[in-house]
Amino acid sequence: MIYHIPWMYMPVRTVLAMWNQLTKTEIPELARSSVLMRERSRVEETLQAMQRAGTERLQVISDFDMTLTRFAHNGSRVPTTHNILDNRLLISEACTRKIRQLLNTYYPIEIDAGRTVEEKLPLMVKWWTSVHDLLIDQNIRKDMLSQAVRESNAMLRDGYKVFFDSLAERQVPLLIFSAGVGDVLEEVMRQKLVFHPNVHVISNYMDFDHTGVLRAFKGPLIHTFNKQEGSVQQVVHLKQLEGRPNVLLLGDSLGDLTMADGVTQPQNVLTVGFLNDQVEERKESYINAFDIVLVRDETLDVPNALLSYITSGK
Ligand code: TMP
Ligand code: MG
């Protein structure tokens, strides 16, 4: 019996090693120096499980501003959906000044690694409501929005076409969960020809009166740190998301991590965080919070590679 033990275990080990080799996820993009992972083995296991489950079990949940859009281009900041509204067609110079002042006050708070979410919450509500009130005072016309988007420097990340088109082709739902302005981000996607039928949006939508003038914002306010609320009610009603317990989540803020909270019985959730700004100060918290962190990466190469791997199974 004793003589048999090594023979019994040797092949098992060999088989395991061969199996590991066979199942090792080969995604060269994950070897880039901009990619940080707390636990590579967990990432690989999750990816393998998602691949085995197949494309029809997958959904993608993504933030919009600074996640699907670029953070900067040629050294200048790319506008967020709120900042796209900074156009004389829509708002006055005085209003622009006030919105910029608010941005200068509150954006550093939003990304401050030294403050807790609890501290930030009331300040984010203050920021968003102040900006929305200023916008409502401007009598913004709905029919001017598309021109303002066209004249803006809005930019989706490099690789966006592959990202949107391949998800649409494979009929994988893409839920965009944004604290930006829904009407604006829809128009950005429309102009880039990527607002496909598999794309669903939860965001702050403008409420126009019968003459097409902005009078209010619809529904409960969404800001950076309350993305779990609202989702629960809205997501469960989306038929297309049913039976898709595997989630690829993309965000640029720690607040984006709760975007998948409304998913019923999630099985595998892989989170990717773009770390755009204040890199050294926030690196540790991002590595602890997201499965994959992308440092100053202006492309969608890594999400595209992950999706290509997950959907190549069957
Ligand atoms: P997101 O949820 O799609 O990323 O959109 C929220 C971002 O918008 C958040 O990071 C802060 C930014 N923002 C502005 O740039 N200007 C504003 O006036 C407001 C209220 C938010
Ligand atoms: Mg964002």
Side-chain angles (χ1 to χ4, degrees), residues 16-67:
L16 272 178
M18 283 169 67
W19 175 251
N20 277 340
Q21 202 54 41
L22 271 174
T23 56
K24 200 165 163 44
T25 44
E26 273 169 26
I27 302 177
E29 287 79 358
L30 290 182
R32 292 182 181 178
S33 58
S34 53
V35 177
L36 305 175
M37 285 178 272
R38 178 182 68 251
E39 215 181 328
R40 188 184 170 118
S41 57
R42 191 196 111 76
V43 169
E44 296 210 347
E45 280 159 26
T46 309
L47 281 167
Q48 286 160 16
M50 289 166 95
Q51 190 196 56
R52 279 196 301 275
T55 306
E56 59 283 358
R57 306 282 281 164
L58 174 70
Q59 59 173 300
V60 178
I61 303 182
S62 181
D63 167 55
F64 190 77
D65 288 310
M66 296 180 273
T67 295

CSV table of all heavy atoms in Angstrom, one decimal, residues 16-67:
chain,number,residue,atom,x,y,z
A,16,LEU,N,-3.0,18.5,-11.8
A,16,LEU,CA,-3.4,19.8,-11.3
A,16,LEU,C,-2.5,20.9,-11.9
A,16,LEU,O,-3.0,22.0,-12.4
A,16,LEU,CB,-3.2,19.9,-9.8
A,16,LEU,CG,-4.4,19.5,-9.0
A,16,LEU,CD1,-4.1,19.5,-7.5
A,16,LEU,CD2,-5.6,20.3,-9.3
A,17,ALA,N,-1.2,20.6,-12.0
A,17,ALA,CA,-0.3,21.6,-12.6
A,17,ALA,C,-0.7,21.9,-14.1
A,17,ALA,O,-0.8,23.0,-14.6
A,17,ALA,CB,1.1,21.1,-12.6
A,18,MET,N,-1.0,20.7,-14.8
A,18,MET,CA,-1.4,20.9,-16.2
A,18,MET,C,-2.7,21.6,-16.3
A,18,MET,O,-2.9,22.5,-17.2
A,18,MET,CB,-1.6,19.5,-16.8
A,18,MET,CG,-0.2,18.8,-17.2
A,18,MET,SD,-0.5,17.1,-17.6
A,18,MET,CE,-1.4,17.2,-19.1
A,19,TRP,N,-3.6,21.3,-15.4
A,19,TRP,CA,-4.9,22.0,-15.4
A,19,TRP,C,-4.8,23.5,-15.2
A,19,TRP,O,-5.3,24.3,-15.9
A,19,TRP,CB,-5.8,21.4,-14.3
A,19,TRP,CG,-7.1,22.1,-14.2
A,19,TRP,CD1,-7.5,22.9,-13.1
A,19,TRP,CD2,-8.2,22.1,-15.1
A,19,TRP,NE1,-8.8,23.3,-13.3
A,19,TRP,CE2,-9.3,22.9,-14.5
A,19,TRP,CE3,-8.5,21.5,-16.3
A,19,TRP,CZ2,-10.5,23.1,-15.2
A,19,TRP,CZ3,-9.7,21.7,-16.9
A,19,TRP,CH2,-10.7,22.5,-16.4
A,20,ASN,N,-3.9,23.9,-14.2
A,20,ASN,CA,-3.6,25.3,-13.9
A,20,ASN,C,-3.1,26.0,-15.1
A,20,ASN,O,-3.5,27.1,-15.4
A,20,ASN,CB,-2.6,25.4,-12.7
A,20,ASN,CG,-3.4,25.3,-11.4
A,20,ASN,OD1,-4.6,25.5,-11.4
A,20,ASN,ND2,-2.6,25.0,-10.4
A,21,GLN,N,-2.2,25.3,-15.8
A,21,GLN,CA,-1.6,25.8,-17.0
A,21,GLN,C,-2.6,26.1,-18.0
A,21,GLN,O,-2.7,27.1,-18.7
A,21,GLN,CB,-0.5,24.8,-17.5
A,21,GLN,CG,0.6,25.5,-18.3
A,21,GLN,CD,1.2,26.7,-17.7
A,21,GLN,OE1,1.5,26.6,-16.5
A,21,GLN,NE2,1.4,27.8,-18.4
A,22,LEU,N,-3.5,25.0,-18.2
A,22,LEU,CA,-4.5,25.1,-19.2
A,22,LEU,C,-5.5,26.2,-18.9
A,22,LEU,O,-6.0,26.9,-19.8
A,22,LEU,CB,-5.3,23.8,-19.2
A,22,LEU,CG,-4.7,22.7,-20.2
A,22,LEU,CD1,-5.5,21.4,-20.0
A,22,LEU,CD2,-4.9,23.2,-21.6
A,23,THR,N,-5.8,26.4,-17.6
A,23,THR,CA,-6.9,27.3,-17.3
A,23,THR,C,-6.4,28.7,-17.0
A,23,THR,O,-7.1,29.6,-16.7
A,23,THR,CB,-7.7,26.8,-16.1
A,23,THR,OG1,-6.8,26.6,-15.0
A,23,THR,CG2,-8.5,25.6,-16.4
A,24,LYS,N,-5.0,28.9,-17.0
A,24,LYS,CA,-4.5,30.2,-16.7
A,24,LYS,C,-5.0,31.3,-17.7
A,24,LYS,O,-5.0,31.0,-18.9
A,24,LYS,CB,-2.9,30.1,-16.8
A,24,LYS,CG,-2.3,31.2,-16.0
A,24,LYS,CD,-0.8,30.9,-15.8
A,24,LYS,CE,0.0,32.1,-15.5
A,24,LYS,NZ,-0.6,33.0,-14.5
A,25,THR,N,-5.5,32.3,-17.1
A,25,THR,CA,-6.1,33.4,-18.0
A,25,THR,C,-5.0,34.1,-18.7
A,25,THR,O,-4.1,34.7,-18.1
A,25,THR,CB,-6.9,34.4,-17.2
A,25,THR,OG1,-6.1,34.7,-16.0
A,25,THR,CG2,-8.2,33.8,-16.7
A,26,GLU,N,-5.0,34.0,-20.0
A,26,GLU,CA,-4.0,34.7,-20.7
A,26,GLU,C,-4.5,36.0,-21.3
A,26,GLU,O,-5.1,36.1,-22.4
A,26,GLU,CB,-3.4,33.8,-21.8
A,26,GLU,CG,-2.3,33.0,-21.2
A,26,GLU,CD,-1.9,31.8,-22.0
A,26,GLU,OE1,-2.0,31.9,-23.2
A,26,GLU,OE2,-1.4,30.9,-21.4
A,27,ILE,N,-4.3,37.1,-20.5
A,27,ILE,CA,-4.8,38.4,-20.9
A,27,ILE,C,-3.6,39.3,-20.8
A,27,ILE,O,-3.2,39.8,-19.7
A,27,ILE,CB,-5.9,38.9,-20.0
A,27,ILE,CG1,-7.1,37.9,-20.0
A,27,ILE,CG2,-6.4,40.3,-20.4
A,27,ILE,CD1,-8.3,38.2,-19.2
A,28,PRO,N,-2.8,39.5,-21.9
A,28,PRO,CA,-1.6,40.3,-21.8
A,28,PRO,C,-1.8,41.7,-21.2
A,28,PRO,O,-0.9,42.2,-20.6
A,28,PRO,CB,-1.1,40.4,-23.2
A,28,PRO,CG,-2.0,39.5,-24.0
A,28,PRO,CD,-3.2,39.0,-23.2
A,29,GLU,N,-3.0,42.3,-21.4
A,29,GLU,CA,-3.3,43.6,-20.9
A,29,GLU,C,-3.1,43.7,-19.4
A,29,GLU,O,-2.8,44.8,-18.9
A,29,GLU,CB,-4.7,44.1,-21.4
A,29,GLU,CG,-4.8,44.4,-22.8
A,29,GLU,CD,-5.0,43.2,-23.7
A,29,GLU,OE1,-4.9,42.1,-23.2
A,29,GLU,OE2,-5.1,43.4,-25.0
A,30,LEU,N,-3.3,42.6,-18.7
A,30,LEU,CA,-3.2,42.6,-17.3
A,30,LEU,C,-1.8,42.7,-16.8
A,30,LEU,O,-1.5,43.0,-15.6
A,30,LEU,CB,-3.9,41.4,-16.6
A,30,LEU,CG,-5.4,41.3,-16.7
A,30,LEU,CD1,-6.0,40.1,-16.0
A,30,LEU,CD2,-6.1,42.6,-16.1
A,31,ALA,N,-0.9,42.5,-17.7
A,31,ALA,CA,0.6,42.6,-17.3
A,31,ALA,C,1.1,44.0,-17.4
A,31,ALA,O,2.3,44.3,-17.1
A,31,ALA,CB,1.4,41.6,-18.2
A,32,ARG,N,0.3,45.0,-17.9
A,32,ARG,CA,0.8,46.3,-18.1
A,32,ARG,C,1.1,47.0,-16.7
A,32,ARG,O,0.5,46.6,-15.7
A,32,ARG,CB,-0.3,47.2,-18.8
A,32,ARG,CG,-0.5,46.8,-20.2
A,32,ARG,CD,-1.6,47.7,-20.8
A,32,ARG,NE,-1.8,47.4,-22.2
A,32,ARG,CZ,-2.7,48.0,-23.0
A,32,ARG,NH1,-3.4,49.0,-22.5
A,32,ARG,NH2,-2.9,47.6,-24.2
A,33,SER,N,2.1,47.9,-16.8
A,33,SER,CA,2.5,48.5,-15.5
A,33,SER,C,1.4,49.4,-14.9
A,33,SER,O,1.4,49.7,-13.7
A,33,SER,CB,3.8,49.3,-15.7
A,33,SER,OG,3.5,50.3,-16.7
A,34,SER,N,0.4,49.8,-15.7
A,34,SER,CA,-0.7,50.6,-15.2
A,34,SER,C,-1.7,49.8,-14.4
A,34,SER,O,-2.6,50.4,-13.9
A,34,SER,CB,-1.3,51.4,-16.3
A,34,SER,OG,-1.7,50.5,-17.3
A,35,VAL,N,-1.6,48.5,-14.5
A,35,VAL,CA,-2.6,47.6,-13.9
A,35,VAL,C,-2.1,47.1,-12.5
A,35,VAL,O,-1.0,46.6,-12.4
A,35,VAL,CB,-2.9,46.4,-14.8
A,35,VAL,CG1,-3.9,45.4,-14.1
A,35,VAL,CG2,-3.4,46.8,-16.1
A,36,LEU,N,-2.9,47.4,-11.5
A,36,LEU,CA,-2.6,46.9,-10.1
A,36,LEU,C,-3.7,46.0,-9.7
A,36,LEU,O,-4.9,46.3,-9.9
A,36,LEU,CB,-2.5,48.1,-9.2
A,36,LEU,CG,-1.6,49.3,-9.6
A,36,LEU,CD1,-1.7,50.4,-8.6
A,36,LEU,CD2,-0.1,48.7,-9.6
A,37,MET,N,-3.3,44.9,-9.0
A,37,MET,CA,-4.3,44.0,-8.5
A,37,MET,C,-3.9,43.5,-7.1
A,37,MET,O,-2.7,43.2,-6.8
A,37,MET,CB,-4.4,42.7,-9.4
A,37,MET,CG,-5.1,42.9,-10.7
A,37,MET,SD,-5.1,41.5,-11.7
A,37,MET,CE,-3.6,41.7,-12.6
A,38,ARG,N,-4.8,43.6,-6.2
A,38,ARG,CA,-4.6,43.2,-4.8
A,38,ARG,C,-4.3,41.7,-4.8
A,38,ARG,O,-3.5,41.2,-4.1
A,38,ARG,CB,-5.8,43.5,-4.0
A,38,ARG,CG,-5.8,43.1,-2.5
A,38,ARG,CD,-7.2,43.5,-1.9
A,38,ARG,NE,-8.3,42.7,-2.4
A,38,ARG,CZ,-9.3,43.2,-3.1
A,38,ARG,NH1,-9.3,44.5,-3.5
A,38,ARG,NH2,-10.3,42.5,-3.5
A,39,GLU,N,-5.1,40.9,-5.5
A,39,GLU,CA,-5.1,39.5,-5.5
A,39,GLU,C,-5.3,38.9,-6.9
A,39,GLU,O,-6.5,38.7,-7.3
A,39,GLU,CB,-6.2,39.0,-4.6
A,39,GLU,CG,-5.9,37.8,-3.8
A,39,GLU,CD,-7.1,37.4,-2.9
A,39,GLU,OE1,-7.8,38.3,-2.5
A,39,GLU,OE2,-7.3,36.2,-2.7
A,40,ARG,N,-4.3,38.8,-7.6
A,40,ARG,CA,-4.4,38.3,-9.0
A,40,ARG,C,-5.1,37.0,-9.1
A,40,ARG,O,-5.9,36.8,-10.0
A,40,ARG,CB,-3.0,38.2,-9.6
A,40,ARG,CG,-3.1,38.0,-11.1
A,40,ARG,CD,-1.9,37.8,-11.9
A,40,ARG,NE,-2.3,37.3,-13.2
A,40,ARG,CZ,-2.0,38.0,-14.3
A,40,ARG,NH1,-1.4,39.1,-14.3
A,40,ARG,NH2,-2.5,37.5,-15.5
A,41,SER,N,-4.9,36.1,-8.2
A,41,SER,CA,-5.5,34.8,-8.3
A,41,SER,C,-7.0,34.9,-8.2
A,41,SER,O,-7.7,34.2,-8.9
A,41,SER,CB,-5.0,33.8,-7.2
A,41,SER,OG,-5.2,34.4,-5.9
A,42,ARG,N,-7.5,35.8,-7.3
A,42,ARG,CA,-9.0,36.0,-7.3
A,42,ARG,C,-9.5,36.5,-8.6
A,42,ARG,O,-10.6,36.1,-9.1
A,42,ARG,CB,-9.3,36.9,-6.1
A,42,ARG,CG,-10.8,36.9,-5.8
A,42,ARG,CD,-11.3,38.1,-5.0
A,42,ARG,NE,-12.2,39.0,-5.8
A,42,ARG,CZ,-13.4,38.8,-6.1
A,42,ARG,NH1,-14.0,37.7,-5.8
A,42,ARG,NH2,-14.1,39.7,-6.8
A,43,VAL,N,-8.8,37.4,-9.2
A,43,VAL,CA,-9.2,38.0,-10.5
A,43,VAL,C,-9.3,36.9,-11.5
A,43,VAL,O,-10.3,36.7,-12.2
A,43,VAL,CB,-8.2,39.1,-10.9
A,43,VAL,CG1,-8.5,39.5,-12.4
A,43,VAL,CG2,-8.3,40.3,-10.0
A,44,GLU,N,-8.3,36.0,-11.5
A,44,GLU,CA,-8.2,34.9,-12.5
A,44,GLU,C,-9.4,34.0,-12.3
A,44,GLU,O,-10.0,33.5,-13.2
A,44,GLU,CB,-6.9,34.2,-12.4
A,44,GLU,CG,-5.7,35.2,-12.8
A,44,GLU,CD,-4.6,34.4,-13.5
A,44,GLU,OE1,-4.5,33.2,-13.4
A,44,GLU,OE2,-3.7,35.1,-14.0
A,45,GLU,N,-9.6,33.6,-11.0
A,45,GLU,CA,-10.6,32.6,-10.7
A,45,GLU,C,-12.0,33.2,-11.1
A,45,GLU,O,-12.8,32.5,-11.7
A,45,GLU,CB,-10.7,32.3,-9.2
A,45,GLU,CG,-9.6,31.3,-8.8
A,45,GLU,CD,-9.3,31.4,-7.3
A,45,GLU,OE1,-10.2,31.8,-6.5
A,45,GLU,OE2,-8.2,31.0,-6.9
A,46,THR,N,-12.2,34.5,-10.8
A,46,THR,CA,-13.5,35.1,-11.1
A,46,THR,C,-13.7,35.1,-12.7
A,46,THR,O,-14.8,34.8,-13.2
A,46,THR,CB,-13.6,36.5,-10.6
A,46,THR,OG1,-13.2,36.5,-9.2
A,46,THR,CG2,-14.9,37.1,-10.7
A,47,LEU,N,-12.6,35.5,-13.4
A,47,LEU,CA,-12.7,35.6,-14.8
A,47,LEU,C,-13.0,34.2,-15.4
A,47,LEU,O,-13.8,34.1,-16.3
A,47,LEU,CB,-11.4,36.1,-15.4
A,47,LEU,CG,-11.2,37.6,-15.3
A,47,LEU,CD1,-9.7,38.0,-15.7
A,47,LEU,CD2,-12.1,38.3,-16.3
A,48,GLN,N,-12.4,33.2,-14.9
A,48,GLN,CA,-12.6,31.8,-15.4
A,48,GLN,C,-14.0,31.4,-15.1
A,48,GLN,O,-14.7,30.8,-16.0
A,48,GLN,CB,-11.6,30.8,-14.7
A,48,GLN,CG,-10.2,31.0,-15.3
A,48,GLN,CD,-9.1,30.4,-14.4
A,48,GLN,OE1,-9.4,29.6,-13.5
A,48,GLN,NE2,-7.9,30.8,-14.6
A,49,ALA,N,-14.5,31.7,-13.9
A,49,ALA,CA,-15.9,31.4,-13.6
A,49,ALA,C,-16.9,32.1,-14.5
A,49,ALA,O,-17.9,31.5,-14.9
A,49,ALA,CB,-16.2,31.7,-12.1
A,50,MET,N,-16.6,33.4,-14.8
A,50,MET,CA,-17.5,34.1,-15.7
A,50,MET,C,-17.4,33.6,-17.1
A,50,MET,O,-18.4,33.5,-17.8
A,50,MET,CB,-17.1,35.6,-15.6
A,50,MET,CG,-17.4,36.3,-14.3
A,50,MET,SD,-16.6,37.9,-14.1
A,50,MET,CE,-17.9,39.0,-14.6
A,51,GLN,N,-16.2,33.2,-17.5
A,51,GLN,CA,-16.1,32.6,-18.8
A,51,GLN,C,-16.9,31.3,-18.9
A,51,GLN,O,-17.6,31.1,-19.9
A,51,GLN,CB,-14.7,32.4,-19.2
A,51,GLN,CG,-14.4,32.0,-20.6
A,51,GLN,CD,-13.1,31.4,-20.9
A,51,GLN,OE1,-12.7,30.4,-20.3
A,51,GLN,NE2,-12.3,32.0,-21.8
A,52,ARG,N,-16.8,30.5,-17.9
A,52,ARG,CA,-17.5,29.2,-17.9
A,52,ARG,C,-19.0,29.4,-17.9
A,52,ARG,O,-19.7,28.7,-18.6
A,52,ARG,CB,-17.1,28.4,-16.7
A,52,ARG,CG,-15.8,27.6,-16.8
A,52,ARG,CD,-15.7,26.5,-15.7
A,52,ARG,NE,-15.8,27.1,-14.3
A,52,ARG,CZ,-14.8,27.6,-13.6
A,52,ARG,NH1,-13.6,27.6,-14.2
A,52,ARG,NH2,-15.0,28.1,-12.4
A,53,ALA,N,-19.5,30.4,-17.2
A,53,ALA,CA,-20.9,30.7,-17.1
A,53,ALA,C,-21.5,31.2,-18.5
A,53,ALA,O,-22.6,30.9,-18.8
A,53,ALA,CB,-21.2,31.7,-16.0
A,54,GLY,N,-20.6,31.8,-19.2
A,54,GLY,CA,-21.0,32.2,-20.6
A,54,GLY,C,-21.6,33.6,-20.7
A,54,GLY,O,-22.0,34.3,-19.7
A,55,THR,N,-21.6,34.1,-21.9
A,55,THR,CA,-22.0,35.5,-22.3
A,55,THR,C,-23.4,35.8,-21.8
A,55,THR,O,-23.7,36.9,-21.4
A,55,THR,CB,-21.9,35.7,-23.8
A,55,THR,OG1,-20.5,35.3,-24.2
A,55,THR,CG2,-22.1,37.1,-24.2
A,56,GLU,N,-24.3,34.8,-21.9
A,56,GLU,CA,-25.7,35.0,-21.6
A,56,GLU,C,-26.0,35.2,-20.1
A,56,GLU,O,-27.1,35.5,-19.7
A,56,GLU,CB,-26.6,34.0,-22.2
A,56,GLU,CG,-26.4,32.5,-21.8
A,56,GLU,CD,-25.2,31.9,-22.5
A,56,GLU,OE1,-24.5,32.5,-23.3
A,56,GLU,OE2,-24.9,30.7,-22.1
A,57,ARG,N,-24.9,35.0,-19.3
A,57,ARG,CA,-25.1,35.2,-17.8
A,57,ARG,C,-24.4,36.5,-17.4
A,57,ARG,O,-24.3,36.8,-16.2
A,57,ARG,CB,-24.4,34.0,-17.0
A,57,ARG,CG,-25.0,32.7,-17.5
A,57,ARG,CD,-26.3,32.4,-16.9
A,57,ARG,NE,-26.2,31.9,-15.5
A,57,ARG,CZ,-27.2,31.9,-14.7
A,57,ARG,NH1,-28.4,32.3,-15.1
A,57,ARG,NH2,-27.1,31.5,-13.4
A,58,LEU,N,-23.9,37.3,-18.3
A,58,LEU,CA,-23.1,38.5,-18.0
A,58,LEU,C,-23.9,39.8,-18.2
A,58,LEU,O,-24.7,39.9,-19.1
A,58,LEU,CB,-21.9,38.5,-19.0
A,58,LEU,CG,-20.9,39.7,-18.9
A,58,LEU,CD1,-20.2,39.7,-17.6
A,58,LEU,CD2,-20.0,39.7,-20.1
A,59,GLN,N,-23.6,40.7,-17.4
A,59,GLN,CA,-24.0,42.1,-17.6
A,59,GLN,C,-22.8,43.0,-17.2
A,59,GLN,O,-22.0,42.7,-16.4
A,59,GLN,CB,-25.3,42.5,-16.8
A,59,GLN,CG,-25.1,42.3,-15.3
A,59,GLN,CD,-26.4,42.9,-14.6
A,59,GLN,OE1,-26.7,44.0,-14.7
A,59,GLN,NE2,-27.0,42.0,-13.8
A,60,VAL,N,-22.8,44.2,-17.8
A,60,VAL,CA,-21.8,45.2,-17.5
A,60,VAL,C,-22.5,46.4,-16.8
A,60,VAL,O,-23.5,46.9,-17.3
A,60,VAL,CB,-21.0,45.6,-18.7
A,60,VAL,CG1,-20.0,46.7,-18.4
A,60,VAL,CG2,-20.3,44.4,-19.4
A,61,ILE,N,-22.0,46.8,-15.7
A,61,ILE,CA,-22.5,48.0,-15.0
A,61,ILE,C,-21.4,49.0,-15.0
A,61,ILE,O,-20.3,48.7,-14.5
A,61,ILE,CB,-23.0,47.7,-13.6
A,61,ILE,CG1,-24.1,46.6,-13.6
A,61,ILE,CG2,-23.6,49.0,-13.0
A,61,ILE,CD1,-24.7,46.3,-12.3
A,62,SER,N,-21.6,50.2,-15.6
A,62,SER,CA,-20.5,51.2,-15.6
A,62,SER,C,-21.0,52.6,-15.3
A,62,SER,O,-22.1,53.0,-15.5
A,62,SER,CB,-20.0,51.2,-17.1
A,62,SER,OG,-18.9,52.1,-17.1
A,63,ASP,N,-20.1,53.3,-14.6
A,63,ASP,CA,-20.2,54.7,-14.4
A,63,ASP,C,-20.0,55.4,-15.8
A,63,ASP,O,-19.5,54.8,-16.7
A,63,ASP,CB,-19.1,55.1,-13.4
A,63,ASP,CG,-18.9,56.6,-13.2
A,63,ASP,OD1,-19.9,57.3,-13.0
A,63,ASP,OD2,-17.8,57.0,-13.4
A,64,PHE,N,-20.3,56.7,-15.9
A,64,PHE,CA,-20.0,57.4,-17.2
A,64,PHE,C,-18.9,58.3,-17.1
A,64,PHE,O,-17.8,58.1,-17.7
A,64,PHE,CB,-21.3,58.1,-17.6
A,64,PHE,CG,-21.2,58.6,-19.0
A,64,PHE,CD1,-21.3,57.7,-20.1
A,64,PHE,CD2,-20.9,59.9,-19.3
A,64,PHE,CE1,-21.2,58.2,-21.4
A,64,PHE,CE2,-20.8,60.4,-20.6
A,64,PHE,CZ,-20.9,59.5,-21.7
A,65,ASP,N,-19.0,59.4,-16.3
A,65,ASP,CA,-18.0,60.5,-16.4
A,65,ASP,C,-16.7,60.0,-15.8
A,65,ASP,O,-16.6,59.5,-14.7
A,65,ASP,CB,-18.5,61.7,-15.5
A,65,ASP,CG,-19.6,62.5,-16.2
A,65,ASP,OD1,-19.4,62.8,-17.4
A,65,ASP,OD2,-20.6,62.7,-15.6
A,66,MET,N,-15.6,60.1,-16.5
A,66,MET,CA,-14.3,59.8,-16.1
A,66,MET,C,-14.1,58.3,-16.0
A,66,MET,O,-13.1,57.8,-15.5
A,66,MET,CB,-13.9,60.5,-14.9
A,66,MET,CG,-13.8,62.0,-15.1
A,66,MET,SD,-13.3,63.0,-13.7
A,66,MET,CE,-14.9,63.2,-12.9
A,67,THR,N,-15.1,57.5,-16.5
A,67,THR,CA,-14.9,56.0,-16.5
A,67,THR,C,-15.1,55.6,-18.0
A,67,THR,O,-14.1,55.1,-18.6
A,67,THR,CB,-16.0,55.3,-15.7
A,67,THR,OG1,-15.8,55.6,-14.3
A,67,THR,CG2,-15.9,53.8,-15.9
